[in-house]
Amino acid sequence: MSANPFLEPSFEIRWSQLRPELIEPAIAAALARAQSAIDAIAARDLAALTYDHTFLALERATEELNVAWGKVAHLQSVADSPPVREAHNRMLPPVSAFYAKIPLNAELWRRLKTFAGSPAAAELRGIHRRFLEETVADFRQAGADLSPEQRARLEALQSELAQLTQKYAENVLDATNAWQLIVEDEASLRGVPAHARAAARQNAGRKGYGSSEKPAWRFTLQAPSQEAVMTYAEDENLRRWMWSAIVAVGSLEPYANAGLIQRILARRAEKAALLGRPHFADLVLERRMAKNGARALSFIEDLQLRAQAAFARECRELEEFKAQQTVGPAGPLKAWEVGYWAERFRQARYAFDEEALRPYFPMERVIAGMFELAHRVFGLRIAERPTSCRSLLADDSTRAAEGSRASTLLQDGQRGDPVEVWYPEVKFYDMHDARGRHVGSFYADWHPREAKRGGAWMNYLITGGPQPDGTRAPHLGVICGNLTPPVDGRPALLTHREAETIFHEFGHLLHHLLGEVEIKSLNGVNVAWDFVELPSQIMENWCWERESLDLFARHHETGAPIPAELFAKMKAAKNFRAACAIMRQVQLAKMDLLLHLRTGEFLEGDIEARARAVVADAMIPTEPPARTIVKRFTHVFADPVGYASGYYSYKWAEVLDADAFTRFRREGLFNPQVGAEFVEHILSRGNSAEPMELYRRFMGREPDLNALLTRCGLRTSPD
Ligand SMILES: [Zn+2]
């Protein structure tokens, strides 16, 4: 093995030695070794193939590269710097090209296919059978079986799709940025919150509008700016201008997307046909839990049907509320009134300030409570290890300031030698299961820094699990976020949503760390897209139950639990206009699926009119009618695949987590037996079987979407 630390397989990663200038040589060496391992498989004697030197050899071929590239990508996420970014961006094209070329390697495919059809392959069982089937499906889906001419056409389609979707995304971005609203009369900003006004004034100043004597406010179509106006501005003209601009994004030259949509849909349909599928939705979904477009569509239509009555009632209630407030006749709202009146209605019904919950979510307590929950439910013991930061990645001034904190981490009965981390406040934990096995370890990096990307995520650095010799190696993962930091010696006080985020990422982490899958590429979160959020989202449920909240949500000064009245408001506010929220997602998911199932209907004529016709019954009735987002639907059109045919997954995953959680609600929130079954059938299994099969083993049946409707208050639970 090389002395390059990026290529060291060690569990204890020496972050301070992962210097940017070592990235390129490490990745280049790993790429070369991976390529020669693949060449060796492709050169095997066709008459003497074994499972070990075909499929398993392919799995091993990329392992070193996977781990090394994982470290590079991780560094770029948590300790970005110009040299790290430069090295990452320089190596990204060869790395992507390497992975993309594997299924198109004809000699390699011939060996895999030959072995897959042999009597020895028919003998494979369990995880090895699954691995063989999944690999063959990966190759077929990527076009391995096509003739050279067809493959050339597929490659041409891919590159055309990349360009068309790139252009669509640019049009949305450019049209969004091309519009502004300059307000010079402060009176017309009545209702707009102070922080949004301040941001608009600062924005105006930066663009050269207004002065200290004659101030101006600049609003844009970026989400925080437009939402502040559409939700709060009392001035109807302001909202009407803003609405007209929002719905024009992607509609007007030079940023018009209608033609691009039709070309993207046509290319996707051709790609599906080339690969022998009736339409693009089936191509995308055949290996997801939904299996095909028709099933995903019937799921969404079923949800629509069941939410329909509550949706109609919520629309009517809002119309009545407005009529009563304005002393006018009830009738459909104008398209630019919905957000505004919904917010007034919410305030009238629930005077609930989310900030009031913060004192009950001190971060340390939330995390300690979550570990206690993991102990009660899953039998896990999680212990913090002392850390040290020698990293060159944290800049000098921060290290000097944080140095004292780093050294004080070595205290309080923590075991073992310090573990090196990339930044002083990063924590490290060992996780043991009920049998006392060290199942894995993880880093936690929770607060924002300039050199760290936004959002929250889980990632894995090492995949352990069962080894061919019968032992088991621990897994190594990382959970990150950008949560409220501690200020002036006060503990970090989180919002309820932030507490949920910690639980969510911890769920993804458990999926990796508890994995008992011998084939690494099938471990943990390497599962179908519409299944991967089950372990994470189910954890969020414990943030909404009185009994579990009392474990970790305690006032940071008094230790008191959340008062009953505040808890009731928090629950009620969550379900306010729940059917409208569901119907919004139904509308988008249905439009996405129909565009890719009945593509022919959308290739001519006015795309907006045709898209609207198929989802109008899922839209809030307004005057003038609201528009669909088809011309600015970046989830679906900004990437060759992205969320195309997959938007339904948001709701699908919610159904899974709400439904699976009913077992804990019924049999006990801390029931260790249910917890053990969840580990046994879901968390430890990765992609070792069909997700629906895993789900059935845990629930004893297929998912039932009533659980979601019950959870958001649209249905009374029978139990
Ligand atoms: Zn997630």
Side-chain angles (χ1 to χ4, degrees), residues 31-54:
L31 270 172
R33 279 197 284 268
Q35 188 60 56
S36 69
I38 284 177
D39 293 343
I41 308 171
R44 285 273 173 191
D45 178 0
L46 272 165
L49 297 173
T50 68
Y51 175 60
D52 185 67
H53 61 225
T54 53

Short mmCIF file of all heavy atoms in Angstrom, two decimals, residues 31-54:
data_model
loop_
_atom_site.label_atom_id
_atom_site.label_comp_id
_atom_site.label_asym_id
_atom_site.label_seq_id
_atom_site.Cartn_x
_atom_site.Cartn_y
_atom_site.Cartn_z
N LEU A 31 -7.27 5.43 -9.20
CA LEU A 31 -7.93 5.25 -10.50
C LEU A 31 -7.18 4.23 -11.35
O LEU A 31 -7.79 3.34 -11.96
CB LEU A 31 -7.97 6.58 -11.26
CG LEU A 31 -9.18 7.48 -11.05
CD1 LEU A 31 -8.95 8.83 -11.72
CD2 LEU A 31 -10.44 6.83 -11.60
N ALA A 32 -5.86 4.36 -11.37
CA ALA A 32 -5.05 3.44 -12.21
C ALA A 32 -5.21 2.02 -11.70
O ALA A 32 -5.37 1.08 -12.50
CB ALA A 32 -3.59 3.87 -12.19
N ARG A 33 -5.16 1.84 -10.37
CA ARG A 33 -5.29 0.47 -9.83
C ARG A 33 -6.69 -0.09 -10.08
O ARG A 33 -6.84 -1.26 -10.40
CB ARG A 33 -4.96 0.46 -8.34
CG ARG A 33 -3.46 0.42 -8.08
CD ARG A 33 -3.16 0.00 -6.64
NE ARG A 33 -3.39 1.09 -5.71
CZ ARG A 33 -2.44 1.96 -5.32
NH1 ARG A 33 -1.21 1.85 -5.80
NH2 ARG A 33 -2.72 2.91 -4.47
N ALA A 34 -7.70 0.76 -9.95
CA ALA A 34 -9.07 0.29 -10.18
C ALA A 34 -9.22 -0.12 -11.65
O ALA A 34 -9.82 -1.16 -11.96
CB ALA A 34 -10.07 1.39 -9.82
N GLN A 35 -8.67 0.70 -12.54
CA GLN A 35 -8.78 0.39 -13.96
C GLN A 35 -8.07 -0.93 -14.28
O GLN A 35 -8.59 -1.76 -15.02
CB GLN A 35 -8.21 1.53 -14.80
CG GLN A 35 -8.46 1.39 -16.30
CD GLN A 35 -9.95 1.32 -16.65
OE1 GLN A 35 -10.72 2.22 -16.29
NE2 GLN A 35 -10.39 0.24 -17.30
N SER A 36 -6.89 -1.14 -13.69
CA SER A 36 -6.20 -2.39 -14.05
C SER A 36 -6.90 -3.60 -13.43
O SER A 36 -6.91 -4.68 -14.04
CB SER A 36 -4.70 -2.33 -13.75
OG SER A 36 -4.51 -2.33 -12.36
N ALA A 37 -7.55 -3.41 -12.28
CA ALA A 37 -8.33 -4.53 -11.71
C ALA A 37 -9.50 -4.87 -12.63
O ALA A 37 -9.83 -6.04 -12.84
CB ALA A 37 -8.84 -4.16 -10.32
N ILE A 38 -10.12 -3.84 -13.20
CA ILE A 38 -11.24 -4.09 -14.13
C ILE A 38 -10.74 -4.72 -15.42
O ILE A 38 -11.34 -5.67 -15.95
CB ILE A 38 -12.01 -2.77 -14.37
CG1 ILE A 38 -12.86 -2.51 -13.13
CG2 ILE A 38 -12.87 -2.85 -15.62
CD1 ILE A 38 -13.63 -1.25 -13.14
N ASP A 39 -9.60 -4.23 -15.91
CA ASP A 39 -9.02 -4.83 -17.12
C ASP A 39 -8.73 -6.31 -16.90
O ASP A 39 -8.90 -7.13 -17.80
CB ASP A 39 -7.73 -4.10 -17.52
CG ASP A 39 -8.00 -2.67 -17.97
OD1 ASP A 39 -9.17 -2.35 -18.27
OD2 ASP A 39 -7.06 -1.85 -18.00
N ALA A 40 -8.28 -6.64 -15.69
CA ALA A 40 -7.95 -8.04 -15.39
C ALA A 40 -9.21 -8.91 -15.46
O ALA A 40 -9.18 -10.02 -16.00
CB ALA A 40 -7.30 -8.15 -14.02
N ILE A 41 -10.33 -8.39 -14.95
CA ILE A 41 -11.58 -9.17 -15.03
C ILE A 41 -11.97 -9.33 -16.50
O ILE A 41 -12.35 -10.42 -16.95
CB ILE A 41 -12.74 -8.47 -14.28
CG1 ILE A 41 -12.33 -8.12 -12.84
CG2 ILE A 41 -13.99 -9.34 -14.28
CD1 ILE A 41 -13.34 -7.25 -12.11
N ALA A 42 -11.85 -8.23 -17.25
CA ALA A 42 -12.27 -8.24 -18.66
C ALA A 42 -11.40 -9.17 -19.51
O ALA A 42 -11.79 -9.52 -20.63
CB ALA A 42 -12.24 -6.82 -19.21
N ALA A 43 -10.22 -9.54 -18.97
CA ALA A 43 -9.32 -10.41 -19.74
C ALA A 43 -9.39 -11.87 -19.29
O ALA A 43 -8.67 -12.72 -19.80
CB ALA A 43 -7.89 -9.89 -19.61
N ARG A 44 -10.26 -12.15 -18.32
CA ARG A 44 -10.37 -13.53 -17.82
C ARG A 44 -10.78 -14.51 -18.91
O ARG A 44 -11.56 -14.16 -19.80
CB ARG A 44 -11.42 -13.58 -16.70
CG ARG A 44 -10.94 -12.99 -15.41
CD ARG A 44 -10.22 -14.03 -14.60
NE ARG A 44 -9.62 -13.41 -13.42
CZ ARG A 44 -8.74 -14.03 -12.63
NH1 ARG A 44 -8.36 -15.26 -12.90
NH2 ARG A 44 -8.26 -13.41 -11.58
N ASP A 45 -10.30 -15.73 -18.76
CA ASP A 45 -10.67 -16.81 -19.68
C ASP A 45 -12.17 -17.09 -19.56
O ASP A 45 -12.66 -17.45 -18.48
CB ASP A 45 -9.84 -18.05 -19.29
CG ASP A 45 -10.19 -19.25 -20.15
OD1 ASP A 45 -11.06 -19.11 -21.05
OD2 ASP A 45 -9.59 -20.31 -19.91
N LEU A 46 -12.86 -16.92 -20.66
CA LEU A 46 -14.33 -17.08 -20.64
C LEU A 46 -14.77 -18.47 -20.22
O LEU A 46 -15.89 -18.66 -19.76
CB LEU A 46 -14.89 -16.78 -22.03
CG LEU A 46 -15.22 -15.31 -22.31
CD1 LEU A 46 -15.41 -15.09 -23.81
CD2 LEU A 46 -16.49 -14.89 -21.57
N ALA A 47 -13.88 -19.44 -20.39
CA ALA A 47 -14.26 -20.82 -20.08
C ALA A 47 -14.06 -21.18 -18.61
O ALA A 47 -14.43 -22.27 -18.19
CB ALA A 47 -13.48 -21.77 -20.97
N ALA A 48 -13.42 -20.29 -17.85
CA ALA A 48 -13.10 -20.67 -16.47
C ALA A 48 -13.45 -19.54 -15.50
O ALA A 48 -12.65 -19.12 -14.68
CB ALA A 48 -11.62 -21.02 -16.36
N LEU A 49 -14.68 -19.04 -15.61
CA LEU A 49 -15.07 -17.91 -14.76
C LEU A 49 -15.62 -18.39 -13.42
O LEU A 49 -16.33 -19.39 -13.35
CB LEU A 49 -16.15 -17.09 -15.47
CG LEU A 49 -15.72 -16.45 -16.80
CD1 LEU A 49 -16.93 -15.81 -17.49
CD2 LEU A 49 -14.63 -15.42 -16.57
N THR A 50 -15.27 -17.67 -12.36
CA THR A 50 -15.87 -17.97 -11.05
C THR A 50 -16.53 -16.69 -10.53
O THR A 50 -16.23 -15.58 -11.01
CB THR A 50 -14.80 -18.40 -10.03
OG1 THR A 50 -13.99 -17.25 -9.74
CG2 THR A 50 -13.94 -19.54 -10.54
N TYR A 51 -17.39 -16.86 -9.54
CA TYR A 51 -18.04 -15.71 -8.89
C TYR A 51 -16.97 -14.80 -8.31
O TYR A 51 -17.04 -13.58 -8.45
CB TYR A 51 -18.97 -16.24 -7.81
CG TYR A 51 -19.64 -15.18 -6.96
CD1 TYR A 51 -20.46 -14.22 -7.54
CD2 TYR A 51 -19.48 -15.18 -5.57
CE1 TYR A 51 -21.10 -13.26 -6.75
CE2 TYR A 51 -20.10 -14.22 -4.78
CZ TYR A 51 -20.91 -13.26 -5.37
OH TYR A 51 -21.53 -12.32 -4.59
N ASP A 52 -15.96 -15.38 -7.66
CA ASP A 52 -14.94 -14.58 -7.01
C ASP A 52 -14.17 -13.70 -7.99
O ASP A 52 -13.93 -12.54 -7.71
CB ASP A 52 -13.96 -15.48 -6.24
CG ASP A 52 -12.97 -14.64 -5.46
OD1 ASP A 52 -13.40 -13.97 -4.50
OD2 ASP A 52 -11.77 -14.62 -5.82
N HIS A 53 -13.79 -14.23 -9.15
CA HIS A 53 -13.00 -13.34 -10.00
C HIS A 53 -13.82 -12.62 -11.07
O HIS A 53 -13.26 -12.03 -11.98
CB HIS A 53 -11.70 -14.00 -10.52
CG HIS A 53 -11.87 -15.20 -11.36
ND1 HIS A 53 -11.11 -16.34 -11.19
CD2 HIS A 53 -12.70 -15.46 -12.38
CE1 HIS A 53 -11.48 -17.22 -12.10
NE2 HIS A 53 -12.43 -16.72 -12.82
N THR A 54 -15.15 -12.65 -10.95
CA THR A 54 -15.96 -11.74 -11.77
C THR A 54 -16.66 -10.71 -10.86
O THR A 54 -16.15 -9.61 -10.67
CB THR A 54 -17.03 -12.52 -12.58
OG1 THR A 54 -17.79 -13.34 -11.69
CG2 THR A 54 -16.37 -13.39 -13.64
#
